[in-house]
Amino acid sequence: MSIHEVFMPALSSTMTEGKIVSWVKSPGDKVEKGETVVVVESDKADMDVETFYEGFLAHIIVEAGETAPVGSAIAFIAETEAEIETAKSLANSGGAAATPTSSPEPVAATASAATPALASQNGSNHKEGRLVVSPRARKLAKELKVDLTTLQGSGPHGRIVAEDVEALSNKGKQPATAPVAPPAPVPTSAPVAPPAPRTPAPTPAVAAVPGQTVPLTTFQNAVVRNMVATISVPVFRVGYTITTDGLDKLYKQIKSKGVTMTALLAKAVAVTLQKHPLLNASYSDQGIVYHSDINISVAVAMDDGGLITPVLQNADAVDIYSLSRTWKSLVERARAKQLQPQEYNSGTFTLSNLGMFGVDKFDAILPPGQGSILAIGASRPQVVATPDGLFGVRQQMQVNITSDHRIIYGAHAAAFLQDLAKLIETNAHSLTL
């Protein structure tokens, strides 16, 4: 006989505690090895957590909506139905899960990847052919009595999402026991709320009430820890004005092919970093770490609080069309809080763009573990003096770079900005080659 404890897993290197978003299984339910039992909110994303044991979910210690430190027990799994009551007794008495024949063993849990391809890249135990379903879709299917095995997912790489369940239910292929209103359309500029049990909404999950103190979300707490960690880093800032007429013209020509301005800026920065490897480096106690890849992080704000930085990996080597498709996928999954750790913690240089809000210029805070971050303002028409002594109107944007002064000096940052401006102003078309 054996009873196993389910522990709160560490889903990222910075995670110290996790919040239970929802339990996919209920007490008494049968669980299979590799099956998702709970959805956990880490400091960056919502993750499906799987068990490596077969048995029955005997008792839930940490309910949905509650938090627990990494490594603490959140539930018990019993190998047989006869042991369920024993597990409940252990939980009520506060004892460890143990039997005369075996000592307590943790239930190894891992974040399930959104796709088989991502799973192999990020070390998940997800296997080819396994049904991949978002937590919200799984809950909705249970409510509407929809058989998930009959669905073909429309999400990234075949993931079944809530819309797939609703579409099948609306066609009358499966009986629905209760009417469920479809989610309201969400503008592309607004983050999508995370999976069940929360309902998608364009507003924060917790409304601010005058005179009330609202606790920080898991995302916001992660930002606090990162920002405090940067206080001890000596930084300096350099500003530069870049004319964007050529870049704007290129963008208008290829926008219809799915290219985004974010991808163009990331590509321009990445190509320039090839000439300035020090700007792509970071400080360590052992010396300067020169990274082999140029991975561009781009800051994305979340409506329910916090900030996440999806990463365009090898942005200098990937063509602009593939880069734009990757960025679209990253943003969609970031706003659904479904990114894998490698997709948000592998950046070597960061972009922070507030130009879409009409901001002229601002200073960005250096992320931990990186050497530089570039703040990008809005591109605006400006009256400028031309080389022939006349006046003209040019589209210009202001950028400010914040760098770690322990390894990067003013001349290094200035030279990088100079080359970036030259690329954007005189050779923007090369970004499509």
Short mmCIF file of all heavy atoms in Angstrom, two decimals, residues 340-397:
data_model
loop_
_atom_site.label_atom_id
_atom_site.label_comp_id
_atom_site.label_asym_id
_atom_site.label_seq_id
_atom_site.Cartn_x
_atom_site.Cartn_y
_atom_site.Cartn_z
N GLN A 340 5.91 28.68 -21.84
CA GLN A 340 6.85 27.82 -21.16
C GLN A 340 8.02 28.68 -20.65
O GLN A 340 8.33 29.73 -21.22
CB GLN A 340 7.36 26.73 -22.10
CG GLN A 340 6.25 25.78 -22.58
CD GLN A 340 5.63 25.02 -21.43
OE1 GLN A 340 6.33 24.33 -20.69
NE2 GLN A 340 4.32 25.12 -21.26
N PRO A 341 8.70 28.27 -19.57
CA PRO A 341 9.77 29.09 -18.99
C PRO A 341 10.82 29.55 -19.99
O PRO A 341 11.24 30.71 -19.96
CB PRO A 341 10.37 28.16 -17.93
CG PRO A 341 9.23 27.31 -17.49
CD PRO A 341 8.42 27.07 -18.74
N GLN A 342 11.23 28.67 -20.90
CA GLN A 342 12.25 29.04 -21.88
C GLN A 342 11.79 30.17 -22.78
O GLN A 342 12.61 30.89 -23.37
CB GLN A 342 12.62 27.81 -22.73
CG GLN A 342 13.71 28.03 -23.77
CD GLN A 342 15.09 28.24 -23.16
OE1 GLN A 342 15.26 28.05 -21.96
NE2 GLN A 342 16.05 28.63 -23.98
N GLU A 343 10.47 30.36 -22.88
CA GLU A 343 9.93 31.37 -23.77
C GLU A 343 9.84 32.75 -23.12
O GLU A 343 9.48 33.72 -23.78
CB GLU A 343 8.55 30.94 -24.26
CG GLU A 343 8.58 29.70 -25.13
CD GLU A 343 7.19 29.23 -25.52
OE1 GLU A 343 6.32 29.09 -24.63
OE2 GLU A 343 6.98 28.99 -26.73
N TYR A 344 10.16 32.84 -21.82
CA TYR A 344 10.17 34.16 -21.20
C TYR A 344 11.40 34.44 -20.34
O TYR A 344 11.57 35.55 -19.84
CB TYR A 344 8.89 34.40 -20.37
CG TYR A 344 8.64 33.43 -19.23
CD1 TYR A 344 9.38 33.48 -18.06
CD2 TYR A 344 7.64 32.48 -19.33
CE1 TYR A 344 9.15 32.61 -17.01
CE2 TYR A 344 7.39 31.59 -18.28
CZ TYR A 344 8.15 31.67 -17.13
OH TYR A 344 7.90 30.80 -16.09
N ASN A 345 12.27 33.45 -20.14
CA ASN A 345 13.44 33.71 -19.29
C ASN A 345 14.78 33.52 -19.99
O ASN A 345 15.81 33.48 -19.33
CB ASN A 345 13.37 32.84 -18.03
CG ASN A 345 13.51 31.35 -18.34
OD1 ASN A 345 13.84 30.95 -19.45
ND2 ASN A 345 13.24 30.52 -17.34
N SER A 346 14.77 33.42 -21.33
CA SER A 346 16.01 33.17 -22.07
C SER A 346 16.51 34.40 -22.81
O SER A 346 17.41 34.29 -23.66
CB SER A 346 15.79 32.02 -23.06
OG SER A 346 14.77 32.34 -24.00
N GLY A 347 15.97 35.58 -22.52
CA GLY A 347 16.36 36.79 -23.24
C GLY A 347 17.77 37.26 -22.90
O GLY A 347 18.26 37.07 -21.78
N THR A 348 18.43 37.86 -23.88
CA THR A 348 19.76 38.43 -23.68
C THR A 348 19.77 39.95 -23.83
O THR A 348 20.76 40.61 -23.48
CB THR A 348 20.77 37.82 -24.67
OG1 THR A 348 20.31 38.05 -26.02
CG2 THR A 348 20.89 36.31 -24.45
N PHE A 349 18.70 40.51 -24.38
CA PHE A 349 18.55 41.96 -24.58
C PHE A 349 17.05 42.23 -24.62
O PHE A 349 16.29 41.45 -25.19
CB PHE A 349 19.22 42.38 -25.90
CG PHE A 349 19.28 43.87 -26.13
CD1 PHE A 349 20.47 44.56 -25.97
CD2 PHE A 349 18.15 44.59 -26.54
CE1 PHE A 349 20.54 45.94 -26.20
CE2 PHE A 349 18.21 45.97 -26.75
CZ PHE A 349 19.42 46.63 -26.58
N THR A 350 16.62 43.34 -24.00
CA THR A 350 15.18 43.61 -23.90
C THR A 350 14.77 44.89 -24.61
O THR A 350 15.49 45.89 -24.58
CB THR A 350 14.75 43.69 -22.41
OG1 THR A 350 14.97 42.42 -21.80
CG2 THR A 350 13.28 44.05 -22.27
N LEU A 351 13.58 44.85 -25.22
CA LEU A 351 12.93 46.03 -25.79
C LEU A 351 11.70 46.36 -24.94
O LEU A 351 10.95 45.46 -24.56
CB LEU A 351 12.47 45.79 -27.23
CG LEU A 351 13.50 45.50 -28.30
CD1 LEU A 351 12.81 45.39 -29.67
CD2 LEU A 351 14.56 46.57 -28.34
N SER A 352 11.51 47.64 -24.67
CA SER A 352 10.30 48.10 -24.00
C SER A 352 9.74 49.24 -24.84
O SER A 352 10.36 50.30 -24.97
CB SER A 352 10.61 48.58 -22.58
OG SER A 352 9.42 48.99 -21.92
N ASN A 353 8.57 49.04 -25.43
CA ASN A 353 8.00 49.99 -26.38
C ASN A 353 6.71 50.58 -25.82
O ASN A 353 5.73 49.87 -25.61
CB ASN A 353 7.74 49.29 -27.71
CG ASN A 353 7.23 50.24 -28.79
OD1 ASN A 353 7.19 51.45 -28.58
ND2 ASN A 353 6.87 49.70 -29.93
N LEU A 354 6.72 51.89 -25.56
CA LEU A 354 5.51 52.60 -25.13
C LEU A 354 5.04 53.58 -26.20
O LEU A 354 4.20 54.44 -25.94
CB LEU A 354 5.77 53.35 -23.81
CG LEU A 354 5.99 52.48 -22.57
CD1 LEU A 354 6.25 53.34 -21.35
CD2 LEU A 354 4.79 51.57 -22.33
N GLY A 355 5.59 53.44 -27.40
CA GLY A 355 5.23 54.35 -28.48
C GLY A 355 3.76 54.30 -28.84
O GLY A 355 3.18 55.31 -29.22
N MET A 356 3.13 53.11 -28.70
CA MET A 356 1.72 52.99 -29.05
C MET A 356 0.82 53.80 -28.13
O MET A 356 -0.33 54.07 -28.45
CB MET A 356 1.29 51.51 -29.04
CG MET A 356 1.22 50.87 -27.68
SD MET A 356 2.86 50.52 -26.98
CE MET A 356 3.41 49.22 -28.06
N PHE A 357 1.35 54.25 -26.97
CA PHE A 357 0.60 55.10 -26.05
C PHE A 357 0.89 56.58 -26.27
O PHE A 357 0.42 57.43 -25.50
CB PHE A 357 0.93 54.73 -24.60
CG PHE A 357 0.52 53.33 -24.24
CD1 PHE A 357 1.46 52.32 -24.11
CD2 PHE A 357 -0.82 53.01 -24.03
CE1 PHE A 357 1.10 51.03 -23.78
CE2 PHE A 357 -1.20 51.72 -23.70
CZ PHE A 357 -0.24 50.73 -23.58
N GLY A 358 1.69 56.89 -27.29
CA GLY A 358 2.02 58.28 -27.58
C GLY A 358 3.12 58.84 -26.71
O GLY A 358 3.35 60.06 -26.68
N VAL A 359 3.85 57.97 -26.00
CA VAL A 359 4.94 58.41 -25.13
C VAL A 359 6.13 58.85 -25.99
O VAL A 359 6.57 58.12 -26.88
CB VAL A 359 5.37 57.26 -24.18
CG1 VAL A 359 6.61 57.65 -23.39
CG2 VAL A 359 4.22 56.91 -23.25
N ASP A 360 6.67 60.04 -25.70
CA ASP A 360 7.81 60.54 -26.48
C ASP A 360 9.10 59.84 -26.11
O ASP A 360 9.85 59.39 -26.96
CB ASP A 360 7.96 62.06 -26.26
CG ASP A 360 6.81 62.85 -26.89
OD1 ASP A 360 6.42 62.49 -28.01
OD2 ASP A 360 6.32 63.78 -26.25
N LYS A 361 9.37 59.75 -24.80
CA LYS A 361 10.59 59.07 -24.36
C LYS A 361 10.43 58.68 -22.89
O LYS A 361 9.64 59.26 -22.15
CB LYS A 361 11.81 59.97 -24.52
CG LYS A 361 11.78 61.25 -23.70
CD LYS A 361 13.05 62.07 -23.92
CE LYS A 361 13.01 63.35 -23.09
NZ LYS A 361 14.24 64.16 -23.27
N PHE A 362 11.18 57.66 -22.49
CA PHE A 362 11.15 57.21 -21.10
C PHE A 362 12.40 56.39 -20.83
O PHE A 362 13.12 55.99 -21.76
CB PHE A 362 9.89 56.37 -20.81
CG PHE A 362 9.83 55.06 -21.54
CD1 PHE A 362 10.14 53.86 -20.90
CD2 PHE A 362 9.44 55.00 -22.88
CE1 PHE A 362 10.07 52.65 -21.56
CE2 PHE A 362 9.37 53.78 -23.55
CZ PHE A 362 9.68 52.61 -22.89
N ASP A 363 12.67 56.16 -19.55
CA ASP A 363 13.80 55.34 -19.15
C ASP A 363 13.27 53.98 -18.67
O ASP A 363 12.33 53.91 -17.89
CB ASP A 363 14.58 56.00 -18.00
CG ASP A 363 15.30 57.27 -18.45
OD1 ASP A 363 15.71 57.31 -19.62
OD2 ASP A 363 15.44 58.20 -17.64
N ALA A 364 13.89 52.91 -19.14
CA ALA A 364 13.49 51.56 -18.74
C ALA A 364 14.44 51.04 -17.66
O ALA A 364 15.61 51.43 -17.60
CB ALA A 364 13.50 50.63 -19.95
N ILE A 365 13.91 50.17 -16.81
CA ILE A 365 14.71 49.56 -15.73
C ILE A 365 15.36 48.29 -16.26
O ILE A 365 14.71 47.45 -16.88
CB ILE A 365 13.83 49.26 -14.51
CG1 ILE A 365 13.23 50.56 -13.96
CG2 ILE A 365 14.64 48.55 -13.43
CD1 ILE A 365 12.27 50.34 -12.81
N LEU A 366 16.64 48.14 -16.00
CA LEU A 366 17.40 47.00 -16.49
C LEU A 366 16.91 45.70 -15.86
O LEU A 366 16.85 45.58 -14.64
CB LEU A 366 18.89 47.19 -16.18
CG LEU A 366 19.85 46.12 -16.71
CD1 LEU A 366 19.90 46.17 -18.23
CD2 LEU A 366 21.23 46.31 -16.11
N PRO A 367 16.55 44.69 -16.67
CA PRO A 367 16.11 43.40 -16.11
C PRO A 367 17.30 42.65 -15.49
O PRO A 367 18.43 42.77 -15.96
CB PRO A 367 15.58 42.64 -17.34
CG PRO A 367 15.43 43.66 -18.42
CD PRO A 367 16.44 44.72 -18.14
N PRO A 368 17.07 41.89 -14.44
CA PRO A 368 18.15 41.09 -13.84
C PRO A 368 18.72 40.12 -14.87
O PRO A 368 17.99 39.52 -15.66
CB PRO A 368 17.45 40.34 -12.71
CG PRO A 368 16.23 41.15 -12.41
CD PRO A 368 15.80 41.75 -13.70
N GLY A 369 20.04 39.96 -14.87
CA GLY A 369 20.68 38.99 -15.74
C GLY A 369 20.93 39.45 -17.16
O GLY A 369 21.40 38.66 -17.99
N GLN A 370 20.65 40.72 -17.46
CA GLN A 370 20.91 41.25 -18.80
C GLN A 370 21.79 42.48 -18.69
O GLN A 370 21.89 43.11 -17.64
CB GLN A 370 19.61 41.57 -19.54
CG GLN A 370 18.78 40.35 -19.87
CD GLN A 370 17.58 40.67 -20.75
OE1 GLN A 370 17.51 41.71 -21.41
NE2 GLN A 370 16.60 39.77 -20.76
N GLY A 371 22.40 42.84 -19.82
CA GLY A 371 23.30 43.99 -19.84
C GLY A 371 22.66 45.27 -20.30
O GLY A 371 23.12 46.36 -19.96
N SER A 372 21.55 45.18 -21.10
CA SER A 372 20.95 46.38 -21.66
C SER A 372 19.46 46.19 -21.92
O SER A 372 18.99 45.07 -22.16
CB SER A 372 21.62 46.77 -22.97
OG SER A 372 22.97 47.12 -22.79
N ILE A 373 18.74 47.31 -21.89
CA ILE A 373 17.34 47.36 -22.28
C ILE A 373 17.13 48.64 -23.06
O ILE A 373 17.65 49.70 -22.69
CB ILE A 373 16.39 47.28 -21.06
CG1 ILE A 373 14.92 47.33 -21.51
CG2 ILE A 373 16.68 48.37 -20.04
CD1 ILE A 373 13.93 47.08 -20.37
N LEU A 374 16.37 48.56 -24.15
CA LEU A 374 16.13 49.72 -25.02
C LEU A 374 14.68 50.18 -24.88
O LEU A 374 13.75 49.39 -25.10
CB LEU A 374 16.42 49.37 -26.47
CG LEU A 374 16.37 50.53 -27.47
CD1 LEU A 374 17.51 51.52 -27.20
CD2 LEU A 374 16.44 50.02 -28.90
N ALA A 375 14.49 51.44 -24.50
CA ALA A 375 13.15 52.03 -24.38
C ALA A 375 12.84 52.78 -25.67
O ALA A 375 13.62 53.62 -26.12
CB ALA A 375 13.10 52.98 -23.19
N ILE A 376 11.68 52.49 -26.27
CA ILE A 376 11.31 53.05 -27.56
C ILE A 376 10.07 53.93 -27.42
O ILE A 376 9.04 53.50 -26.89
CB ILE A 376 11.04 51.94 -28.59
CG1 ILE A 376 12.29 51.07 -28.75
CG2 ILE A 376 10.62 52.51 -29.93
CD1 ILE A 376 12.08 49.86 -29.63
N GLY A 377 10.18 55.18 -27.88
CA GLY A 377 9.06 56.10 -27.85
C GLY A 377 8.31 56.14 -29.16
O GLY A 377 8.62 55.39 -30.10
N ALA A 378 7.33 57.03 -29.24
CA ALA A 378 6.48 57.11 -30.43
C ALA A 378 7.22 57.77 -31.59
O ALA A 378 8.07 58.64 -31.40
CB ALA A 378 5.22 57.91 -30.11
N SER A 379 6.89 57.35 -32.80
CA SER A 379 7.41 57.98 -34.01
C SER A 379 6.46 59.11 -34.40
O SER A 379 5.27 58.89 -34.60
CB SER A 379 7.51 56.95 -35.14
OG SER A 379 7.98 57.55 -36.33
N ARG A 380 7.01 60.35 -34.48
CA ARG A 380 6.19 61.52 -34.74
C ARG A 380 6.79 62.37 -35.87
O ARG A 380 8.01 62.37 -36.05
CB ARG A 380 6.08 62.40 -33.50
CG ARG A 380 5.45 61.74 -32.29
CD ARG A 380 5.32 62.75 -31.16
NE ARG A 380 4.78 62.16 -29.95
CZ ARG A 380 3.49 61.92 -29.73
NH1 ARG A 380 2.62 62.23 -30.68
NH2 ARG A 380 3.08 61.41 -28.60
N PRO A 381 5.95 63.09 -36.60
CA PRO A 381 6.48 64.01 -37.62
C PRO A 381 7.18 65.20 -36.95
O PRO A 381 6.62 65.81 -36.03
CB PRO A 381 5.24 64.45 -38.40
CG PRO A 381 4.08 64.23 -37.47
CD PRO A 381 4.46 63.07 -36.61
N GLN A 382 8.40 65.48 -37.38
CA GLN A 382 9.19 66.57 -36.81
C GLN A 382 9.75 67.44 -37.93
O GLN A 382 10.11 66.93 -38.99
CB GLN A 382 10.35 66.01 -35.98
CG GLN A 382 9.95 65.08 -34.86
CD GLN A 382 9.29 65.80 -33.68
OE1 GLN A 382 9.33 67.02 -33.59
NE2 GLN A 382 8.69 65.04 -32.78
N VAL A 383 9.81 68.72 -37.67
CA VAL A 383 10.44 69.65 -38.62
C VAL A 383 11.95 69.60 -38.37
O VAL A 383 12.41 69.86 -37.26
CB VAL A 383 9.91 71.08 -38.45
CG1 VAL A 383 10.64 72.04 -39.41
CG2 VAL A 383 8.41 71.12 -38.71
N VAL A 384 12.71 69.26 -39.41
CA VAL A 384 14.16 69.14 -39.27
C VAL A 384 14.86 69.91 -40.37
O VAL A 384 14.29 70.18 -41.43
CB VAL A 384 14.59 67.65 -39.32
CG1 VAL A 384 13.94 66.86 -38.20
CG2 VAL A 384 14.24 67.03 -40.67
N ALA A 385 16.10 70.25 -40.11
CA ALA A 385 16.93 70.92 -41.12
C ALA A 385 17.57 69.85 -42.00
O ALA A 385 18.14 68.87 -41.51
CB ALA A 385 18.00 71.76 -40.45
N THR A 386 17.47 70.01 -43.31
CA THR A 386 18.04 69.05 -44.26
C THR A 386 19.48 69.43 -44.57
O THR A 386 19.92 70.57 -44.32
CB THR A 386 17.21 69.03 -45.56
OG1 THR A 386 17.27 70.33 -46.17
CG2 THR A 386 15.75 68.67 -45.25
N PRO A 387 20.26 68.48 -45.13
CA PRO A 387 21.67 68.77 -45.43
C PRO A 387 21.88 69.94 -46.39
O PRO A 387 22.93 70.57 -46.38
CB PRO A 387 22.16 67.45 -46.07
CG PRO A 387 21.26 66.40 -45.49
CD PRO A 387 19.93 67.06 -45.35
N ASP A 388 20.87 70.23 -47.22
CA ASP A 388 21.02 71.34 -48.18
C ASP A 388 20.59 72.69 -47.60
O ASP A 388 20.45 73.68 -48.33
CB ASP A 388 20.23 71.05 -49.46
CG ASP A 388 18.76 70.73 -49.19
OD1 ASP A 388 18.32 70.87 -48.03
OD2 ASP A 388 18.06 70.31 -50.13
N GLY A 389 20.37 72.73 -46.28
CA GLY A 389 20.05 73.99 -45.62
C GLY A 389 18.58 74.35 -45.62
O GLY A 389 18.22 75.45 -45.18
N LEU A 390 17.72 73.49 -46.07
CA LEU A 390 16.30 73.74 -46.08
C LEU A 390 15.63 73.04 -44.89
O LEU A 390 16.30 72.39 -44.10
CB LEU A 390 15.68 73.25 -47.39
CG LEU A 390 16.26 73.87 -48.67
CD1 LEU A 390 15.63 73.24 -49.90
CD2 LEU A 390 16.04 75.39 -48.69
N PHE A 391 14.32 73.20 -44.79
CA PHE A 391 13.56 72.52 -43.74
C PHE A 391 12.69 71.43 -44.36
O PHE A 391 12.19 71.58 -45.47
CB PHE A 391 12.69 73.51 -42.96
CG PHE A 391 13.46 74.45 -42.10
CD1 PHE A 391 13.72 75.76 -42.51
CD2 PHE A 391 13.95 74.05 -40.86
CE1 PHE A 391 14.44 76.63 -41.72
CE2 PHE A 391 14.67 74.91 -40.07
CZ PHE A 391 14.92 76.20 -40.50
N GLY A 392 12.53 70.35 -43.63
CA GLY A 392 11.68 69.26 -44.08
C GLY A 392 10.99 68.61 -42.91
O GLY A 392 11.32 68.88 -41.75
N VAL A 393 10.02 67.75 -43.21
CA VAL A 393 9.30 67.02 -42.17
C VAL A 393 9.72 65.55 -42.23
O VAL A 393 9.64 64.92 -43.28
CB VAL A 393 7.78 67.15 -42.34
CG1 VAL A 393 7.04 66.32 -41.28
CG2 VAL A 393 7.35 68.61 -42.26
N ARG A 394 10.17 65.04 -41.11
CA ARG A 394 10.62 63.65 -41.02
C ARG A 394 9.93 62.96 -39.84
O ARG A 394 9.67 63.58 -38.81
CB ARG A 394 12.14 63.58 -40.83
CG ARG A 394 12.95 64.22 -41.93
CD ARG A 394 12.93 63.38 -43.20
NE ARG A 394 13.84 63.93 -44.19
CZ ARG A 394 13.47 64.81 -45.12
NH1 ARG A 394 12.21 65.26 -45.16
NH2 ARG A 394 14.35 65.26 -46.01
N GLN A 395 9.65 61.66 -40.01
CA GLN A 395 9.14 60.85 -38.90
C GLN A 395 10.33 60.47 -38.02
O GLN A 395 11.30 59.87 -38.50
CB GLN A 395 8.45 59.59 -39.41
CG GLN A 395 7.11 59.83 -40.07
CD GLN A 395 6.03 60.20 -39.09
OE1 GLN A 395 5.29 61.16 -39.29
NE2 GLN A 395 5.92 59.44 -38.00
N GLN A 396 10.25 60.80 -36.74
CA GLN A 396 11.36 60.51 -35.85
C GLN A 396 10.86 59.89 -34.54
O GLN A 396 9.77 60.20 -34.07
CB GLN A 396 12.17 61.78 -35.55
CG GLN A 396 12.90 62.35 -36.75
CD GLN A 396 13.81 63.51 -36.37
OE1 GLN A 396 13.52 64.27 -35.45
NE2 GLN A 396 14.91 63.67 -37.11
N MET A 397 11.68 59.02 -33.98
CA MET A 397 11.37 58.46 -32.66
C MET A 397 12.61 58.58 -31.79
O MET A 397 13.75 58.60 -32.28
CB MET A 397 10.94 56.99 -32.77
CG MET A 397 12.04 56.02 -33.17
SD MET A 397 11.45 54.30 -33.22
CE MET A 397 12.98 53.45 -33.66
#
